[in-house]
Amino acid sequence: MFGNIGWGEFMVLLVAALVILGPERLPGAVSWVTKSLRQVRDYAGGATSQLKNELGPEFEDLRKPLADLQQLRGMTPRGLITKHLLDGDDSVLRDVESLPGDIKAAATGPAAAAAGAVGPPSRPAPTPLAEGERPPFDYDAT
């Protein structure tokens, strides 16, 4: 529930509560908050169990789309690529991550890393021209 609050934020809240409420009312406020949170959790658990009892097996049919949505919310771009394009095999991505920085920058993507390419593709060497022969494209023409 409070997964997004770090220790720093928690300490700031505690100090603010101490300043606002004072040391004599702070323990009572903390116990009231914990009691209220437990009561809300119990209400939510009771509502879930009541729905489960009333709906029976149809309850799982309602939960499945929500579970799928939750799975998509937690998906990262890397997870999407791994799941849908690479069929769950992220060894190609791990290979690219293990490359040194200069080689990784030269690689154009996972396919180039898998093929062993470390730079741009090379051009074939030009064929020598016979005397008086012109190249197929004259780049110096204006």
Side-chain angles (χ1 to χ4, degrees), residues 19-61:
V19 169
I20 292 170
L21 297 174
E24 61 276 350
R25 289 189 289 178
L26 185 62
V30 169
S31 67
W32 178 83
V33 167
T34 56
K35 196 182 313 178
S36 299
L37 285 176
R38 273 195 206 111
Q39 193 172 20
V40 166
R41 191 180 315 148
D42 291 342
Y43 287 151
T48 303
S49 64
Q50 185 178 1
L51 273 174
K52 191 180 283 187
N53 289 338
E54 289 181 11
L55 293 178
E58 296 169 357
F59 182 74
E60 292 302 319
D61 295 339

Side-chain angles (χ1 to χ4, degrees), residues 4-125:
N4 295 337
I5 297 178
W7 285 105
E9 291 92 354
F10 185 73
M11 293 305 285
V12 168
L13 288 173
L14 188 63
V15 168
L18 184 61
V19 169
I20 292 170
L21 297 174
E24 61 276 350
R25 289 189 289 178
L26 185 62
V30 169
S31 67
W32 178 83
V33 167
T34 56
K35 196 182 313 178
S36 299
L37 285 176
R38 273 195 206 111
Q39 193 172 20
V40 166
R41 191 180 315 148
D42 291 342
Y43 287 151
T48 303
S49 64
Q50 185 178 1
L51 273 174
K52 191 180 283 187
N53 289 338
E54 289 181 11
L55 293 178
E58 296 169 357
F59 182 74
E60 292 302 319
D61 295 339
L62 290 176
R63 287 183 52 136
K64 183 169 179 6
L66 293 176
D68 292 342
L69 181 63
Q70 186 66 23
Q71 182 183 10
L72 287 176
R73 285 182 64 201
M75 192 67 78
T76 62
R78 179 185 176 135
L80 284 172
I81 290 171
T82 301
K83 180 178 179 184
H84 295 290
L85 296 180
L86 302 175
D87 295 325
D89 181 24
D90 69 340
S91 61
V92 173
L93 297 175
R94 281 187 274 128
D95 291 343
V96 171
E97 286 178 353
S98 66
L99 292 174
D102 54 344
I103 295 175
K104 189 187 302 182
T108 58
V118 292
S122 60
R123 288 184 172 179

